[in-house]
Amino acid sequence: MKPLGENPPLKLHISPQNKSISALEKEPQTPNTTQGTGTSYPTAAEQELQTLMKVIEWPAPPGPTEYNFSTSPLTTEFQLLFPRGAYYVGEYVEVLITARDHGGRPKAYGGDYFQAKLHSPTLKAGVTGSVTDHRNGTYTASFLLLWPGQVEISIILVHSSEAIAVLKDKRETRPDKVYFNGYFHGTGEVVECNLNPPARNVCEYHDAYTGESWFCIHPKQVPCSAYKGTATGGSREIHTPEEARLLDKSVKEKLISSKVKPFVVLSPAISVDSRANCSSGLPNPEPSGFYYQDIWYSRVCKNRAFPHPDNVTKCLTGKIMYMFGDSTTKQWFEFLLRFVPSLQRQDLHAQFPAPQLAVDMSNKFAIQWQMHEKPLLILYGDRQEVHYVATELERIGSNKEGLLVVINCMAHFVTFPVKVYVRRLQGIRDSVVRLMKRNPLAKVFIKSANTGYVYTHSSDWLSLQLDLVMRAMFSGLPVTILDTWQMTSCHYLPRDIHPGPVIVKNEVDLLLSFICPT
């Protein structure tokens, strides 16, 4: 389908390629300073931010829109394009989505966010569809047919374009919508803390290495040095009544209707597996893989299954794995502890979110999980137990054969301006570059976002934006981006940022496939 109108179509599901070219000969791109020549030039960091903001540009409504003229999941529908008598594995199927408002009137502009999947419930199979926005109120969803049998199409309106305009505005202008509580030794007073100063009289906790700061209102009775930790405080109601209607659960994350019935896909005459063994630098195609009988088949490479503990221990023998991230990578850590009996948790006399260590003495490998530094939406985090990922990466020595590093840093940043996330990733990326120059044998993995982060002030659209930023920022390095976004969006289980065990196992198996490709 050719785009209609003057604007080019927008691909809603972009998978930037993870290029294999090495950037390790270049020094990390630290911010430049402008010279006093009378002309102001953007620093390297500012230039990169500008580029990244273009990567995640999203069509906006032409002006303020009343709720009744916003996209409705009840009147929006899709229909099959180019129906034919038979469908075969390897072919594409397309559907046309027509967005309509609450009065049933066709929309004249784009910007809605849809998630599409083709699936077979009885076969426990599913694949993500690619959605193209024609910016005129219509969208094309394209699906690659990857298995034989009866299939059906499901499309969800995640957010209307009008709701996205609200999300985008509040992300950039109201970073205080989520706040944190600060605790201090010697007093029961609880004060507000955040990435930006929440008041004029504040304590600033500056990290000299990363250049990052954390601010708390100055307690009345004790000095700033008495600071001991932070916990999730709460969230503020920041929406007008009209904005709240656009984001109400009755109109977001809803299936749209269609008369497209399930249809049968036939086997191809010849089936050849041309995938390469898993290695860093391989591009992520669209789609990046699919489920069949509850097993994920990657289209990036020839991924493997690790059905027994012995398969895992054979792969990890003699290796050291560092996991940095949030609770989604901790799911991987906990899964491996449950799955491998010989892998034992070590008592470090510290509770979550302090670092966790597991060692397999029989097979001589170890796994350490560590939470990234604030912001953290958790019950409590002691300042002595949580550290910046960039700083921890610098502490990893060189010339260690079998060194594995897994990094995930995203979900806790979705409520903040994009520049906050970019700054954090710039520090992590620079440290990754230095680590790989110290140890060229190290394997570094960047875990993508999970879908299903739909709590207060969060959204899959906000997560998608940061996911695209992350992929763009690491695209020039010989690291492996693990596309768990699609793994969590096309399974039959309800979308949840903390997916069920069957999804977690497939995620871990994909990781292991890159560690031990044969």
Side-chain angles (χ1 to χ4, degrees):
M1 172 176 290
K2 294 182 179 180
L4 303 178
E6 297 181 356
N7 292 320
L10 173 72
K11 294 287 285 185
L12 298 189
H13 299 293
I14 307 171
S15 296
Q17 293 188 352
N18 182 19
K19 301 175 184 178
S20 59
I21 59 173
S22 174
L24 300 186
E25 296 304 317
K26 300 179 181 180
E27 288 300 318
Q29 295 297 309
T30 52
N32 298 325
T33 57
T34 55
Q35 301 295 321
T37 60
T39 304
S40 178
Y41 297 99
T43 65
E46 291 169 341
Q47 288 178 333
E48 182 175 29
L49 177 61
Q50 293 172 6
T51 300
L52 292 169
M53 295 306 290
K54 292 179 180 178
V55 168
I56 61 173
E57 279 184 346
W58 200 272
T65 305
E66 295 180 5
Y67 172 83
N68 288 336
F69 294 100
S70 65
T71 307
S72 167
L74 299 179
T75 58
T76 297
E77 60 182 2
F78 66 90
Q79 62 188 45
L80 194 62
L81 286 173
F82 318 118
R84 47 194 186 269
Y87 300 88
Y88 292 89
V89 171
E91 296 179 344
Y92 282 87
V93 166
E94 291 184 331
V95 301
L96 179 69
I97 304 170
T98 302
R100 293 187 173 89
D101 65 20
H102 291 269
R105 296 171 288 265
K107 298 288 290 293
Y109 53 88
D112 301 313
Y113 177 34
F114 295 95
Q115 289 181 350
K117 72 175 180 179
L118 181 140
H119 57 117
S120 299
T122 58
L123 297 174
K124 297 182 178 180
V127 66
T128 299
S130 178
V131 181
T132 300
D133 183 350
H134 300 291
R135 303 198 181 202
N136 62 358
T138 66
Y139 307 75
T140 301
S142 178
F143 305 91
L144 178 59
L145 305 178
L146 289 161
W147 64 88
Q150 181 170 288
V151 299
E152 57 189 86
I153 294 172
S154 297
I155 298 178
I156 293 174
L157 174 62
V158 181
H159 287 299
S160 67
S161 59
E162 294 77 16
I164 288 174
V166 176
L167 288 171
K168 182 178 179 181
D169 174 67
K170 303 303 182 186
R171 177 186 67 189
E172 301 300 325
T173 64
R174 292 299 303 271
D176 63 327
K177 57 185 169 290
V178 172
Y179 60 93
F180 304 84
N181 291 333
Y183 299 87
F184 293 77
H185 295 286
T187 179
E189 182 183 3
V190 179
V191 304
E192 183 174 336
C193 302
N194 221 319
L195 284 171
N196 293 323
R200 289 186 177 181
N201 186 19
V202 296
C203 299
E204 179 179 1
Y205 302 97
H206 182 74
D207 184 79
Y209 180 77
T210 64
E212 301 245 16
S213 289
W214 182 253
F215 300 90
C216 293
I217 294 176
H218 199 302
K220 298 176 181 178
Q221 301 177 345
V222 296
C224 293
S225 58
Y227 173 63
K228 65 177 182 178
T230 307
T232 300
S235 61
R236 294 183 169 92
E237 180 48 65
I238 59 171
H239 299 119
T240 66
E242 186 74 4
E243 291 171 341
R245 291 185 74 190
L246 293 171
L247 294 167
D248 189 78
K249 63 181 180 181
S250 64
V251 292
K252 69 177 182 179
E253 311 280 342
K254 294 296 181 182
L255 283 168
I256 63 175
S257 62
S258 173
K259 295 180 181 178
V260 177
K261 296 181 179 180
F263 56 94
V264 174
V265 178
L266 303 175
S267 298
I270 300 176
S271 179
V272 178
D273 188 349
S274 59
R275 297 176 300 166
N277 289 333
C278 296
S279 63
S280 66
L282 295 175
N284 275 310
E286 182 66 34
S288 64
F290 64 99
Y291 285 103
Y292 185 77
Q293 297 292 4
D294 257 348
I295 296 175
W296 179 258
Y297 292 87
S298 173
R299 295 184 65 239
V300 176
C301 59
K302 192 178 297 183
N303 62 315
R304 301 173 55 198
F306 294 78
H308 305 293
D310 288 349
N311 304 130
V312 177
T313 57
K314 182 179 179 181
C315 175
L316 295 181
T317 293
K319 296 178 175 62
I320 299 176
M321 180 187 296
Y322 294 91
M323 288 185 177
F324 300 100
D326 55 29
S327 54
T328 63
T329 45
K330 190 165 190 294
Q331 280 191 290
W332 293 8
F333 179 83
E334 297 292 343
F335 168 80
L336 288 168
L337 274 171
R338 292 191 302 269
F339 191 70
V340 180
S342 54
L343 183 63
Q344 297 294 309
R345 188 191 306 271
Q346 305 301 298
D347 186 3
L348 301 181
H349 306 288
Q351 296 181 342
F352 178 86
Q356 308 287 307
L357 176 65
V359 177
D360 188 326
M361 299 298 293
S362 301
N363 297 286
K364 296 181 173 55
F365 71 88
I367 304 174
Q368 177 179 291
W369 174 87
Q370 189 165 335
M371 181 70 99
H372 66 67
E373 181 59 284
K374 299 178 288 290
L376 290 172
L377 295 168
I378 58 176
L379 292 178
Y380 179 76
D382 191 285
R383 69 176 303 191
Q384 301 299 326
E385 304 291 357
V386 182
H387 307 281
Y388 288 97
V389 175
T391 305
E392 295 302 300
L393 289 173
E394 298 294 344
R395 295 174 179 173
I396 298 177
S398 59
N399 299 322
K400 288 185 178 179
E401 188 175 357
L403 175 62
L404 310 170
V405 176
V406 180
I407 300 171
N408 167 240
C409 182
M410 189 170 301
H412 295 266
F413 288 82
V414 299
T415 62
F416 293 95
V418 173
K419 64 181 181 182
V420 171
Y421 183 62
V422 170
R423 176 166 181 157
R424 182 64 59 90
L425 280 199
Q426 285 171 334
I428 293 174
R429 184 186 58 191
D430 288 357
S431 290
V432 166
V433 169
R434 284 189 285 270
L435 170 64
M436 299 188 78
K437 290 180 72 173
R438 292 196 304 273
N439 190 342
L441 297 178
K443 292 186 177 183
V444 178
F445 304 90
I446 312 297
K447 178 189 173 298
S448 79
N450 289 352
T451 57
Y453 191 33
V454 292
Y455 306 115
T456 303
H457 296 313
S458 59
S459 156
D460 268 358
W461 181 80
L462 292 171
S463 297
L464 173 66
Q465 292 262 286
L466 297 193
D467 193 66
L468 293 173
V469 166
M470 176 276 293
R471 293 170 191 257
M473 291 184 69
F474 282 95
S475 63
L477 296 179
V479 301
T480 299
I481 296 178
L482 298 171
D483 190 354
T484 57
W485 179 270
Q486 294 196 21
M487 297 179 77
T488 54
S489 65
C490 67
H491 197 268
Y492 58 81
L493 288 177
R495 287 175 302 125
D496 191 327
I497 191 170
H498 299 119
V502 64
I503 297 177
V504 173
K505 185 184 188 318
N506 277 288
E507 291 177 341
V508 172
D509 280 1
L510 181 62
L511 168 66
L512 295 174
S513 295
F514 281 92
I515 298 171
C516 303
T518 57

